Every structure is written in C-alpha cells, then in structure tokens.
Amino acid sequence: MFQPLREKQSQRNPFFDNAKYLAIVLVAVGHVWEPVMEGSRATRALYMVVYAFHMPAFVIISGYFSRSFAGRPDQLRRLVGGVLVPYLVFEVAYTLYRRWAQDAPQQAFSLTDPFYLTWFLLALFMWRLSAPLWRALRHPLPVAVAVAALASLTPRIAADLDLQRVLQFLPFFVLGLSLREEHFRLLRRRAVRVAAVPVAVAALAGAYAVAPHLRMGWFYRNTSAQELGYAWWAGPLATVALGAVALVLTAAFLAWVPSRRTWFTVLGAGSLCGYLLHGFATKALQYWELVDAYEVLATPAGRVGLTAAAAVAVTLMCTPPVRRALRWVTEPRLEWAFRRTEEPVPGAPGGGAPGGAVAAGAVSRR
C-alpha cells in the first residue's frame, strides 16, 4: 500500500502500483460492508473472501519492499518519516475524531495501543526493523509460521503494540522478504490467470456456504483461539489453513493485476493517503449510526451504492493533489532530527535498492 519514498517515477514498477490501488479499493469497500452485511449472506461471503487475502497481500508486498533494509542511517530515517510519523499523527487524529464525533472526551490518547487502521503502520515499523534478523536465519519462514501459531493459542497477549496481529501476520512479511521479481512474473502467465478464475469462483462458493457459521475473528487475527471460543489446538490449525487460503487468493488476485501502465497506476503511489483518510468516512457510518438512521443503506441497492461510493471516495483520496497535500506527514523532511550522514551509492557495498513503506492495508481495528 505504501510506496517506496522519493523513488523516481521512471523507476517505479506499474504492476505494484496497480496492485496497491486495487487492494486499497478492496480495503475501503470491505470497511463499508461491515455495518451492512448482517442479514445479507452474500455480502458477508464477499466480505469474508476480501478479508481472507487483502491484508496478507499488503503484508507480502511490504516484505518484498523491505528486502534491502539493513538498518542503515538513511533507511532508518526513511522508516521513521514514512511509517512512524504517519502513525503518530493519525493515531492522534483518529482519537480526536472519535472524541468529537461521539462526544467521548474519555477516549484516551495512546501511542502504544493503535486505534482503528493505524495498527498496520506500527506493525510495519516493527516488521521492517526485524528484517535483517529474518534474512540471517537459515529457515525464516518455518520459524515465522511457528511464532504465528504460538501466538494464536496464547490468550491475553497485551493490546500494547497490537502484538497479536503483529505476530499472526508475521509469516506473510517474512515470505515477502524471500520473494523476487521473477516470482511475481510467474503469476502473470496466462495459465495462472486462467486458473485464477475457478479459484475465485470456488472461494466465493465456499465463503457463501460457511458464511453463517464461521467467525470473522479468524480473519482479523487479533485474538487467540480460546478468546474466539475454540480449543487451543484450533489456533495453529487455523494459522496454517487460513494462511494457505490467503496465499492462493493473493496469487489469484495478483495474477489479474495489470502489469502495464493504466489510468489508475498513478493512484497506487497515493495509496498511503487513501488508506489513512478513508477511515474517517467509514467510521462516520458507525459514529453517527447512519445505517440505523437510513435503513435504505442496508438494502441491496443501498449496499451497491455504498460499495460504489467507497470505491470512488478512496480513488479521489489517492490522487496526486491529495498526495501532495499530505506530503508533510507521509514524506516529511526530518533533517532537523537526524545527524547528517553520507547517502550510500546504489550498487556499492552497503548500498541497495531504495526501500520505503509498502502497505496496507489494510485494515480495520477490531
């Protein structure tokens, strides 16, 4: 979701910008479905399919763009400016928004308990700091899966830093660290694109079948199995099963992402803005109880209208003018806060490809 900071447009790969834009649209659409999906099995099934893969897809791409992170001073400076500063600013902004919208002065400010969608920024900050460690391990992915499985069966992991989500989504980040560009090229082969169609159909059919029975908490990955009302062994089992489903659906999604420049390619560069801003609109549905006030929103026509409105709104939020307006927080200049260091030369020892924040998603604070 987040672009490599200050990367020249000519160096950008349109495939990833296209993927980030399409994924951020799914994030926004998924959020507006939350208050209207009860009573509609089809909407709940669509919601489940989207939540099964869109967050893992963001995390995988985040890991892919973290491959060159080695903790150099210039990389740490970009990490603070591109991830930590937006987290701090929007953590405060969303807290103030709730205080105002719900007349809730008791809503506390907390820099360690992420509010709503800001959790992903804090998670990305921790994941990226840990990237050199995962690259140093001989078998990083099995270790990350084991960590996620243990987290899924450990109740009452502290809300501070949203560690439950950080640990349960960790394998997708580690997988992204291991990927190369040729892996993404394989997904764009014609055979894979054709296979993605029955995969999507099967996913929708399966979600429709289990929609009334499966708890959504499994997809949010913010609680343990016991806290969801299941036996402890269900946690590791769900970690593996839902992880496999997420990988298959992510591959199907990326197989259909255009690799050429399109009209929405430029919007992928502003996906961070769309991510950070759309939550104010989606939270308005909850804070002002708009679905209860306007029952038409929970009708089939209303759901279609909300879906279209969310897609249009987040698209506008990703446009270059909005990106320029928010550059002070998404790409701040922090020379005043850091000692001056020599920038490494790409290709030289200690150098590397530019790395920045890649997200996402997306996705809702439960």
Side-chain angles (χ1 to χ4, degrees):
M1 176 177 54
F2 308 156
Q3 69 279 0
L5 302 180
R6 300 186 181 92
E7 185 178 356
K8 293 182 180 179
Q9 188 65 27
S10 60
Q11 296 176 324
R12 300 185 69 94
N13 186 331
F15 170 77
F16 291 107
D17 279 333
N18 293 338
K20 287 184 287 184
Y21 166 72
L22 294 174
I24 198 62
V25 170
L26 291 177
V27 170
V29 167
H31 281 163
V32 299
W33 283 344
E34 284 185 17
V36 299
M37 67 181 178
E38 295 306 323
S40 172
R41 186 170 178 173
T43 305
R44 185 176 176 85
L46 287 169
Y47 181 86
M48 289 173 60
V49 171
V50 168
Y51 266 71
F53 79 90
H54 76 336
M55 190 71 251
F58 276 132
V59 181
I60 288 171
I61 295 175
S62 299
Y64 177 75
F65 278 102
S66 301
R67 294 169 303 154
S68 65
F69 186 86
R72 299 193 312 265
D74 62 301
Q75 292 176 325
L76 292 172
R77 188 164 60 245
R78 288 198 295 270
L79 180 61
V80 169
V83 178
L84 191 58
V85 169
Y87 166 73
L88 296 174
V89 170
F90 278 85
E91 177 73 11
V92 172
Y94 274 106
T95 301
L96 290 174
Y97 181 53
R98 186 184 180 192
R99 284 187 166 200
W100 168 74
Q102 291 197 308
D103 191 21
Q106 73 280 4
Q107 178 65 44
F109 291 95
S110 175
L111 300 183
T112 59
D113 183 11
F115 187 87
Y116 193 39
L117 49 70
T118 61
W119 76 268
F120 185 76
L121 296 169
L122 190 57
L124 179 59
F125 184 79
M126 291 185 282
W127 287 330
R128 185 159 289 176
L129 283 177
S130 72
L133 169 63
W134 294 109
R135 288 200 307 272
L137 292 179
R138 190 180 298 273
H139 304 292
L141 189 55
V143 174
V145 172
V147 169
L150 289 173
S152 72
L153 57 81
T154 307
R156 296 181 297 278
I157 288 182
D160 287 350
L161 307 180
D162 219 339
L163 281 178
Q164 187 67 261
R165 272 180 168 151
V166 171
L167 298 178
Q168 288 201 40
F169 279 113
L170 176 63
F172 300 106
F173 181 82
V174 175
L175 174 62
L177 286 174
S178 305
L179 294 178
R180 298 292 181 265
E181 187 175 354
E182 54 266 26
H183 296 127
F184 292 97
R185 285 200 297 266
L186 288 174
L187 294 177
R188 301 199 292 274
R189 290 184 173 182
R190 179 177 177 81
V192 179
R193 292 167 63 88
V194 171
V197 176
V199 166
V201 173
L204 290 170
Y208 189 83
V210 303
H213 314 292
L214 189 62
R215 299 190 63 174
M216 287 304 304
W218 288 117
F219 298 98
Y220 302 141
R221 292 178 171 85
N222 62 347
T223 52
S224 66
Q226 295 94 316
E227 290 167 314
L228 287 173
Y230 294 87
W232 66 268
W233 52 264
L237 182 63
T239 297
V240 175
L242 290 179
V245 170
L247 291 180
V248 171
L249 291 180
T250 297
F253 167 70
L254 293 176
W256 279 97
V257 171
S259 58
R260 66 186 185 283
R261 292 193 61 82
T262 67
W263 65 267
F264 55 80
T265 299
V266 67
L267 301 176
S271 58
L272 172 58
C273 299
Y275 179 76
L276 293 173
L277 294 176
H278 85 275
F280 292 104
T282 55
K283 272 296 182 182
L285 292 172
Q286 172 191 341
Y287 291 160
W288 288 302
E289 300 178 344
L290 297 180
V291 175
D292 293 333
Y294 302 96
E295 294 182 358
V296 66
L297 294 176
T299 65
R303 295 186 186 99
V304 171
L306 279 175
T307 301
V312 171
V314 77
T315 295
L316 294 175
M317 294 171 185
C318 293
T319 54
V322 175
R323 184 187 178 194
R324 288 193 293 270
L326 283 185
R327 187 162 288 166
W328 65 275
V329 63
T330 60
E331 302 177 42
R333 296 185 177 279
L334 300 177
E335 287 85 355
W336 57 270
F338 290 90
R339 296 177 180 177
R340 185 176 180 84
T341 59
E342 293 295 328
E343 292 287 338
V345 178
V358 181
V363 176
S364 74
R365 170 83 162 93
R366 304 310 306 167

